[in-house]
Amino acid sequence: MLLRPLAAVLAAIFLPLPVQAAEVQVAVASNFLAPMQRIAAAFERDTGHRARLAAGATGKFYAQIRNGAPFEVLLAADEATPARLEAEGRAVAGTRFTYAIGQLVLWSPRAEYVDAAGAILRRGGFAHLAVASPRTAPYGAAAAQVLAALGLADALAPRLVSGENIGQTYQFVASGNAELGFVALSQVMADGTLTGGSAWQVPAELYAPLRQDAVMLERGADNPAAAALLDYLRGDAARALIRGYGYRF
C-alpha cells in the first residue's frame, strides 16, 4: 500500500475550511433599491453570501425593527434613524457609517417639461405635484424644505400628492397620476445618465444633506454575511455602482 507523504497528510489536516455562505436580511430605503439590487448580485457573485432585500420608508422600518422585524442590516435614507437605533441598543455600536449622500430632483417623465432651473414650480400649469411623506421619508422632508425655501409651500399645498415612501412617490409620477414630483436622483439616473424625461437637480443649499447611513442591527451581530455586506458597501466595486446612480460620498 502506498503511503501519502507526511506533508500532504498535514496539509489535509490543517487546510482551512471554506467560509460557509450565509444569508442576510436587509432593510433598504426605497431610494436605494435600484443600486442595491445590482450590488446584491455582485455581492453574491464575489462572496457567496446572499442579501435578501426589503424596500420601504425609513420611518416605517424603524417602527418595524422596534417591533421585532427580522432585519439584520439597515440601509437608511437618513443618518438619524441608525443613530437612534444604536443609542437604543437595537444596532451594533461601531458599525454605523455613511454609505451614500442622496440628491433630490424635480422630475417628470415628459421630455422638456421640467426646466433646468425648476421655474415650472412658479409658472404652474400642472394639477399635481408628488412628494414623499415628510413624516416617514427623509426625501419627503427634503422636498418640504425646498418648497419652504422657495416660498411656495402654501401656494402649492393644494396640489400635493403624498406617497408613503419615495418609491411610491416615483410611481405616482411615472404612472401619470402626478405630472411631476420630487424624487431621488437615483430613481431616474443609471450609469451617470438620466434614464428619461426631464429634471431639475435641486441645489444642495435648499435642503439638509441627505446623508444615508448603514448599520448592523442587533439580529445581525453573529451573521458573517451581515459583516461582509457592510464591508462590501465600502469597497470600490460597490461605490462605482452607487456613484452611477447620482449619489455622492
Side-chain angles (χ1 to χ4, degrees), residues 26-51:
V26 188
V28 185
S30 295
N31 73 87
F32 197 67
L33 179 59
M36 191 57 205
Q37 286 173 328
R38 293 179 63 180
I39 291 169
F43 173 67
E44 183 173 0
R45 182 187 66 238
D46 294 343
T47 69
H49 298 307
R50 176 172 294 183

Side-chain angles (χ1 to χ4, degrees), residues 59-93:
K60 289 289 184 71
F61 279 138
Y62 172 75
Q64 291 169 4
I65 291 164
R66 289 200 63 180
N67 287 321
F71 298 122
E72 297 168 296
V73 166
L74 171 65
L75 304 182
D78 65 2
E79 56 185 338
T81 301
R84 188 175 180 184
L85 289 167
E86 186 178 19
E88 293 172 350
R90 294 184 171 88
V92 179

Side-chain angles (χ1 to χ4, degrees), residues 104-107 126-133 139-140 143 147 159-163 166 168-174 177-183:
L104 188 71
V105 293
L106 180 68
W107 176 75
F126 57 90
H128 299 104
L129 171 65
V131 297
S133 169
Y139 279 79
L147 293 177
R159 306 185 197 185
L160 296 185
V161 179
S162 182
I166 201 66
Q168 188 179 70
T169 305
Y170 169 80
Q171 288 301 324
F172 284 159
V173 186
N177 288 318
E179 296 94 326
L180 69 169
F182 284 104
V183 302

Side-chain angles (χ1 to χ4, degrees), residues 3-247:
L3 296 177
R4 297 174 64 189
L6 179 60
V9 174
L10 292 176
I13 294 173
F14 295 105
L15 186 67
L17 293 174
V19 176
Q20 188 173 3
E23 188 172 279
V24 54
Q25 304 295 325
V26 188
V28 185
S30 295
N31 73 87
F32 197 67
L33 179 59
M36 191 57 205
Q37 286 173 328
R38 293 179 63 180
I39 291 169
F43 173 67
E44 183 173 0
R45 182 187 66 238
D46 294 343
T47 69
H49 298 307
R50 176 172 294 183
R52 294 286 189 186
L53 310 180
T58 295
K60 289 289 184 71
F61 279 138
Y62 172 75
Q64 291 169 4
I65 291 164
R66 289 200 63 180
N67 287 321
F71 298 122
E72 297 168 296
V73 166
L74 171 65
L75 304 182
D78 65 2
E79 56 185 338
T81 301
R84 188 175 180 184
L85 289 167
E86 186 178 19
E88 293 172 350
R90 294 184 171 88
V92 179
T95 62
R96 177 167 49 93
F97 67 97
T98 300
Y99 66 90
I101 299 174
Q103 299 189 69
L104 188 71
V105 293
L106 180 68
W107 176 75
S108 171
R110 293 170 53 183
E112 301 181 2
Y113 186 71
V114 176
D115 59 282
I120 188 173
L121 291 173
R122 296 186 186 280
R123 188 171 66 246
F126 57 90
H128 299 104
L129 171 65
V131 297
S133 169
R135 293 182 294 103
T136 59
Y139 279 79
Q145 292 166 15
V146 172
L147 293 177
L150 296 175
L152 296 173
D154 292 337
L156 293 180
R159 306 185 197 185
L160 296 185
V161 179
S162 182
E164 181 180 276
N165 55 55
I166 201 66
Q168 188 179 70
T169 305
Y170 169 80
Q171 288 301 324
F172 284 159
V173 186
S175 65
N177 288 318
E179 296 94 326
L180 69 169
F182 284 104
V183 302
L185 180 58
S186 60
Q187 294 172 299
V188 297
M189 174 176 279
D191 300 321
T193 304
L194 193 69
T195 55
S198 54
W200 169 49
Q201 190 167 326
V202 181
E205 60 267 21
L206 294 182
Y207 58 96
L210 287 162
R211 298 186 185 279
Q212 302 194 196
D213 278 10
V215 71
M216 182 189 295
L217 299 171
E218 187 180 21
R219 286 178 178 266
D222 297 321
N223 185 351
L229 179 61
L230 293 178
D231 286 341
Y232 196 84
L233 281 167
R234 294 186 177 96
D236 292 341
R239 288 203 159 201
L241 283 170
I242 293 169
R243 193 176 287 109
Y245 282 85
Y247 292 97

